[in-house]
Structures are given as C-alpha cells and as structure tokens.
C-alpha cells in the first residue's frame, strides 16, 4: 500500500489558478460590501437584527473558506512550486484586505455589546452567547478605528520586524562543532537535528556550540527582547489591561484563577519532573542527566519500522475501540484522500491538521518515514481531525475557532490511546520503556519546561516594572533562576546554557506574549481527562465527545464543569499529575531487575 498524497480538488469548483485568484478578489469585494452595509448601523440592531448579521458573516466566511484552504494547503504541499507560491501570496493579500475591510464591524459590535450587554443572553442569540461574551470582554480594550489603524501600520515596520530579524539572524549564523573527530561548521537547522543524536559527545558539542554562539550576539538578543517587553508593557496599560498576562487570558479564553491554580500545581510537583530525570539517567546509564541529554533517545530503542498499512490499521483500531463513530470518521479521512503523508522535496516540515468547516472535515499533512514517531504523529493529527468532525457538525462557524488550551484535547488523547494499544502489543521490555519514555518526555516538556518558561517571562515584566535594566546578563540570570526552580539540581548545565532563551522564536513573535502556558494547560488537562477515562471506562466517552463537539461555544472552564470538574481548583490539575506519576511508576516497574 503506497503512502498517500491528499486530494484538494473537493475544496474548490475549479483548480484553474486564474479562477482561484478571481474568487479571492470576490472575497475582498464581498467583505467590503458587507462592511458598507453595516457601517454605522450596528449600534441600532436588536437581537433579531444582530443574529441576522452574525449569520450573514458566518455565511460569508464559509463561502470563501474552500478557496482559502486550497491556496494555503497547496503551498504547504510544495513550497517550491511557482503556482502554489503565487496563489499563497494572493490568498495572504486577500486575507489582509478582507480583514481590514471588516475591522469596523468588530469595533462597532464591541460598542453595541458594551452599551447593551443584555443582548448576550437574549434567547434569539443563544448559539452565539459565548462568542458575544468574548467580544464583549475584549471591547473595552479596543481603541478607536483610527488609533487601531495607526497601531497596525506602525507595528508592521516596528515590533513585527523583530521576529523576522531574529530568525534571519539565527539562520545566517555558523555553529562550529566537532563531530566524531571532524570539525564542522553547521547552520541552525543541522545543529537542531544533532541535538537528538544517539552519541552523547555529539549532543554535548552541539549544545556547547549553541550556547557560545548565542552569547556572542548578546547585545542583539537582549536589545530585541527588552524592546518587546517594553512595547507590551506600554500597550497593555494603554489598552487598560490590569497585567501583562491579561490580554493572553482573553485570547486563550481562560481565567487568571485557572492559570494560577495550574501554575501552583506545576510548581508544587517539580519533584515529579526531577524524579523522571533520575529514571531517564538510569536508562541512559548515567549518574545525572546533562542538559544535552533531556531529549536523548534510549540506547535500547528497537529500530522498528511500520508499513503505511500497519500504521493505518493501528490508528483506525485505536479510534474505533474508543468509539465507533470516531473510528468511522478516521476511516473517512483515509478514504476521501484527506491525508498527505508522502515525503517530498519542497513540502513543509512537521505535521498539522487543518479544519475544513464547510466540508465538516479536515486535512492532515505529515512526512511519513515509518518510525514509531510517525505513527504517533498520525494518531495525534487524527485526534484533531475527529475533533473537527464533531464540532463542525454541532456548531455554527463562529463557534469553530477552538482556543489553544482546548485545541489539543482530541490529539493528545489520541496519542495516549495509541500508547495504550502499543504497550498492550509490545513484545519486549525495551519496547514498553520506549513508549513510556516518549509519553513522559512529552509530558515533562509541555508541563515543566513550558512551565519554567512561563515563570521566566513573568519575571521579565516584574523586573521591567521595577526599573531594572534588562541586559543580556540579567535576562540570562532570570532564565537560570526560573529553570532552577523547576529542575533543581536534577540536571547538569553547561556554562553558556543560560543563553538558550535567545534562540526560541516565540519570545520575538509580535502580539504573542506568554506563549507557553496553553501547552502546559493542554497537556495537564488531557492527562486529567485520560485519568477520568481510566477511572470511568466507556461511560466517559459520550461526555468527552460532548466536550469536543462544543468547539469554541464554551470556555475551558465551562467544558470542565460539564464533566463535574473545576479548573480553578488545584485538585483538578493534581489529577493530571497523578496520571503522570502512574506512568512513571509503570516505567520504574519495567526497570526493577535492570
Ligand atoms: Zn496538535
């Protein structure tokens, strides 16, 4: 059975490039017409009128979703193809133009909800309730249309340049490394590949080179980061937010109380992380892990390859055994050519799943090499796909924008279900250990590593507020201090490893501060849900499907409440830690006579 390529033709009436570009132009035109129709009129809408506007807005978005999806997916499938490039640029341009045209609708809608908040709970708008709630919460922080336009224009040549500068600078550095006795000069992409090398000395050499190379450009990194911190600090105050974290809470649809409870549990369970690093050191035959060993593969990992047919059977049976309907939809993804798994030149690296709301389906891209990781990736992306099948059937378009904190529920659950199956079928201790280490590596990365990065970022704003000059040395001290609070002395660090912050792109993204905690949130949320599944068995499945079906129509807190849980209470998050502890004990039991 050959590895499939996806079929995108269902997305559009015609794949002729000129017709696609005409469609995108029509989208911009229709957006302008929509805005003109409602400009200055939104303040006087009643509930029925508002409902009509929202339905028309959804209909407009769905009308052009196929062509947008087609252009963006075609590009990810071959980024070297000139036609795909041209269509992708046209799609991006059209998206920006349509967005600008619609800006006034967002501002006027916010003003209406501030003036008449009772509309949010009007029965005529019941299926837009949470969407409107979120709009209402954001509204007091919006400035006037003219001010917003000036900010957008200035940011384009200001704060938004920083991320491009960082990635360009990093991608043009040379990293001098000695590998197997040979001196080499590597680019950042090659260096990253060697970070997971089975040879310990190679990993160490690569980490040393990264640290010393980053340190050399200290002035650049610290100046950029200080500028970003100062810009965000100025903007959150100008927009009337109470803290630098608050804008992200709105975007991620969670409360400060939930993030507080989450971080309290992360910090109260750092012993678990340190205990895992102790186990991993033993499996690697070491006294203590070096920072260059954290993601190291186990030496005993069996080099097993999976055919595409085996992978398909594994993923389908994983979902089918959990729930018949989800299993059927997973099958639909294969049958309808919604998966592009071939390895090809020019294809985007990594993997993703993209929702096609109008088609009540999704598309998956990955580069399949037949390793266990690839099987896991497909199970992960398939979780996103069945999540999409559920919410696109249950919700209107406005409720199909799932926040980061909830978006990984289907995918991470899928990974755990696959791990269950693989453990059941494993024929050796080494295979079982490999599966458990993969789960726990992922867990410690999302919960503890992302957790300490949250502490680091919060400390930057505290220091900035206290008037401390954030130079390279000070930033590195804060990085090290946050790291020590989580890792203790379970890890040995290299001299220059405190410069590691400089290489992470999310520190430089415009408009995306506190990027890390949604990943901590998602991982621990799903571990808690998986724990409930283990406790309740099949009874849990309908409640879980209801959670996924909600899309963005309810907040994470409301979704958890539906399962009888309170995400503002540390006890909910401790459930996730209990599950991690159970996996760790399982790993320990495989090591007893080792
Ligand atoms: Zn994912």
């Amino acid at each position: 059975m050959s590895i499939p390529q996806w079929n995108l033709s269902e997305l559009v009436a015609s794949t002729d490039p000129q017709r696609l570009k005409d469609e995108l132009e029509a989208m911009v035109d229709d957006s302008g017409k929509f805005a003109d129709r409602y400009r200055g009129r939104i303040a006087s809408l009643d509930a029925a009128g508002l409902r009509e506007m929202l339905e028309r807005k959804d209909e407009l978005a769905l009308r052009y979703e196929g062509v947008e999806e087609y252009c963006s997916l075609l590009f990810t499938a071959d980024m070297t193809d000139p036609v795909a490039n041209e269509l992708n640029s046209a799609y991006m341009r059209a998206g920006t133009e349509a967005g600008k045209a619609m800006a006034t609708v967002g501002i006027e809608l916010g003003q209406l909800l501030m003036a008449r908040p009772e509309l949010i709970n009007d029965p005529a708008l019941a299926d837009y309730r949470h969407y409107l709630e979120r709009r209402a919460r954001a509204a007091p922080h919006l400035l006037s249309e003219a001010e917003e336009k000036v900010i957008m224009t200035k940011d384009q040549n200001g704060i938004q340049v920083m991320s491009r500068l960082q990635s360009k600078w990093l991608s043009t550095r040379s990293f001098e490394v000695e590998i197997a006795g040979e001196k080499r000069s590597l680019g950042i992409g090659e260096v990253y590949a060697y970070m997971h090398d089975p040879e310990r000395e190679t990993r160490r050499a690569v980490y040393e080179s990264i640290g010393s190379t980053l340190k050399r450009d200290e002035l650049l990194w610290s100046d950029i980061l200080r500028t970003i911190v100062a810009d965000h600090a100025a903007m959150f105050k100008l927009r009337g937010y109470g803290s630098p974290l608050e804008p992200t809470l709105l975007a991620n649809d969670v409360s400060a109380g939930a993030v507080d409870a989450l971080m309290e549990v992360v910090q109260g369970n750092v012993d678990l992380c340190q205990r895992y690093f102790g186990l991993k050191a033993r499996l690697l035959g070491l006294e203590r892990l070096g920072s260059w060993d954290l993601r190291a593969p186990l030496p005993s990992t069996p080099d097993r390859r999976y055919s595409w047919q085996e992978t398909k059977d594994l993923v389908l049976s994983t979902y089918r055994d959990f729930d018949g309907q989800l299993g059927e939809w997973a099958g639909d993804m294969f049958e309808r050519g919604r998966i592009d798994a071939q390895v090809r030149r020019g294809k985007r690296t990594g993997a993703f799943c993209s929702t096609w709301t109008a088609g009540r389906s999704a598309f998956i891209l990955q580069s399949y090499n037949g390793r266990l990781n690839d099987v896991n990736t497909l199970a992960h992306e398939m979780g996103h796909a069945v999540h999409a099948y559920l919410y696109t059937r249950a919700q209107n378009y406005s409720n199909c924008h799932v926040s980061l904190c909830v978006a990984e529920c289907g995918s991470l659950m899928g990974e755990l279900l696959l791990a269950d199956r693989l453990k059941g079928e494993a024929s050796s201790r080494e295979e079982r250990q490999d599966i458990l280490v993969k789960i726990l590596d992922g867990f410690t990365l999302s919960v503890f590593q992302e957790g300490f990065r949250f502490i680091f970022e919060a400390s930057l704003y505290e220091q900035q507020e206290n008037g401390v000059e954030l130079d390279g040395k000070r930033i590195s001290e804060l990085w090290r201090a946050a790291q020590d609070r989580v890792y203790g002395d379970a890890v040995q660090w290299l001299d220059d490893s405190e410069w590691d912050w400089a290489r992470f792109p999310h520190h430089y993204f415009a408009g995306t501060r506190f990027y890390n905690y949604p990943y901590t949130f998602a991982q621990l949320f799903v571990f808690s849900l998986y724990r409930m599944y283990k406790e309740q068995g099949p009874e849990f499945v309908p409640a879980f499907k209801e959670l996924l079906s909600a899309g963005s129509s309810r907040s994470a807190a409301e979704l958890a409440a539906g399962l009888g849980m309170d995400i503002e209470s540390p006890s909910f998050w401790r459930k996730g830690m209990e599950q991690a502890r159970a996996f760790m004990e399982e790993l320990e039991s495989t090591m007893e006579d080792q």
Side-chain angles (χ1 to χ4, degrees), residues 224-236:
I224 303 183
L225 190 58
R226 190 169 56 242
T227 303
I228 286 171
V229 169
D231 179 76
H232 182 62
M235 288 310 294
F236 90 75

Side-chain angles (χ1 to χ4, degrees), residues 380-381 384 408 411:
H380 178 102
E381 301 308 337
H384 284 301
E408 297 298 329
S411 57

Side-chain angles (χ1 to χ4, degrees), residues 2 13 120 135 150 176 218 281-283 296-297 348 364 379 398 460 471 477 493 499 540 575:
S2 60
I120 296 168
R135 289 296 189 141
V150 171
E176 310 302 326
E218 164 187 351
R282 259 176 70 197
L283 286 166
R348 210 198 90 162
I364 289 176
S398 292
L460 288 175
D471 58 14
E477 281 167 9
W493 300 100
W499 296 94
F540 169 82
K575 238 179 159 46

Side-chain angles (χ1 to χ4, degrees), residues 7 45 185 201 238 251 348 355 393 412 428 442 453 458-459 461 467 482 504 509 522 531 535 568:
N7 170 15
L45 292 177
S185 180
E201 281 316 303
L238 191 66
R348 210 198 90 162
T355 298
R393 277 164 177 72
L412 293 176
S428 68
R453 291 178 188 174
S459 70
Y461 289 95
F504 294 109
F509 291 156
R531 185 92 184 149
E535 286 164 2
E568 295 203 4

